[in-house]
Amino acid sequence: MFELFQYEFMRNAFIVGILLSVIVPCIGVVIVLKRLSLMGDTLSHISLAGVAAGLVAGINPVVGAVTFSVLATFGIEKIRKSFSQYAEISLAIMMAAGIGTAGILSGFVKSSSSFTGFLFGSIVAVSRLELIIVVILSVIVLFTFFFLYRELFYITFDEETAKLAGIRVNKVNFIFMLITAVTISISARAVGALIISSLMVVPVAIAIQVAKSYKQTIIYSAIFGLVSTVLGLFISYYADFKPGATIVLVGVVLLLAVMLVKKVIGIIKA
């Protein structure tokens, strides 16, 4: 069963997958509880535009994705402040801009396979350099969440209360948006731009079903993300499925299973 670990690419895939399965749902908790679940979709589409721009310009597409995503976060914040009562409008506008830009630029990419590879990703094809980048990114994200735990807790539920508590909301929001944009751009190479948003939301949705506090939601999200990734990698290897898509579908099955168990327990207690 464990002979797959004799291959270096599978060992790298498990290391990258485990690290991303922990940090991505952590970011997802803040996004989901702030009712900005479309954030992952928006930045993933923006990162696709960056990938296409990088391929057209002849530079590393991941650099293009990170650049576009970081610039997009400034645009999202600017538009969000202009429509303070309708925060989701900023995401819809930037997503439209990302899809449009990616669509036009993709027409100038010489090798379509190099572009479509970012749509669904290929975690088993990550290089040693990409592995090192993911390790560094994971350390940065985890340290950020550790040192800004209180600040992120406040801005997740009420930014006005956070200001009264002396928290520099704009600064914390900027840091959070920055690590979100970079994480999505780099993760898109491994699991795919169209899948990363699901990995950001599904484990959080499972955690919300069973958690009783903010802290528990973060911990359970990371655990369910980890279980989905490990099971997904095993299944994809032996069934010859695409790893990213399999990981997401395993997460959806876990969500349905938890909802079913919760429903049955509710009926028994009634």
Side-chain angles (χ1 to χ4, degrees), residues 20 119-123 187-196 199 244-245 247:
L20 292 180
L119 293 176
F120 296 100
S122 182
I123 197 170
S187 302
R189 175 68 181 86
V191 295
L194 298 182
I195 292 173
I196 185 61
L199 192 60
I247 291 169

Side-chain angles (χ1 to χ4, degrees), residues 55-236:
L55 292 172
V56 172
I59 62 175
N60 190 315
V62 175
V63 174
V66 171
T67 304
F68 270 55
S69 296
V70 170
L71 292 175
T73 59
F74 291 107
I76 291 172
E77 274 302 288
K78 182 68 177 175
I79 298 173
R80 193 168 72 93
K81 289 176 181 175
S82 301
F83 297 90
S84 57
Q85 300 299 317
Y86 308 96
E88 69 279 5
I89 288 180
S90 62
L91 301 179
I93 292 172
M94 293 307 295
M95 185 187 293
I99 293 172
T101 306
I104 290 176
L105 290 177
S106 64
F108 296 95
V109 177
K110 293 179 181 176
S111 173
S112 59
S113 60
S114 57
F115 177 70
T116 54
F118 278 84
L119 293 176
F120 296 100
S122 182
I123 197 170
V124 295
V126 293
S127 65
R128 182 169 291 274
L129 175 61
E130 290 165 340
L131 171 64
I132 294 171
I133 292 174
V134 170
V135 171
I136 295 172
L137 172 70
S138 302
V139 172
I140 293 172
V141 171
L142 291 176
F143 266 94
T144 302
F145 268 80
F146 178 77
F147 286 109
L148 293 180
Y149 178 83
R150 174 176 169 270
E151 288 82 356
L152 287 172
F153 173 79
Y154 269 100
I155 69 165
T156 296
F157 295 102
D158 191 342
E159 292 190 358
E160 293 303 319
T161 303
K163 289 178 182 176
L164 293 175
I167 293 171
R168 300 173 68 178
V169 173
N170 290 337
K171 183 179 179 181
V172 176
N173 269 331
F174 172 76
I175 294 172
F176 175 72
M177 295 286 282
L178 186 64
I179 62 171
T180 301
V182 174
T183 301
I184 288 176
S185 301
I186 293 176
S187 302
R189 175 68 181 86
V191 295
L194 298 182
I195 292 173
I196 185 61
S197 59
S198 301
L199 192 60
M200 189 169 282
V201 173
V202 174
V204 181
I206 306 173
I208 290 175
Q209 293 291 318
V210 294
K212 292 181 170 46
S213 68
Y214 177 73
K215 186 175 182 179
Q216 280 189 4
T217 305
I218 292 177
I219 295 172
Y220 290 165
S221 296
I223 291 173
F224 285 121
L226 186 61
V227 171
S228 302
T229 300
V230 172
L231 281 177
L233 283 173
F234 270 107
I235 293 171
S236 65

Side-chain angles (χ1 to χ4, degrees), residues 2-13 237:
F2 298 103
E3 68 270 15
L4 73 171
F5 291 113
Q6 66 181 302
Y7 303 110
E8 183 180 4
F9 69 90
M10 286 306 300
R11 293 197 297 271
N12 291 343
Y237 177 81

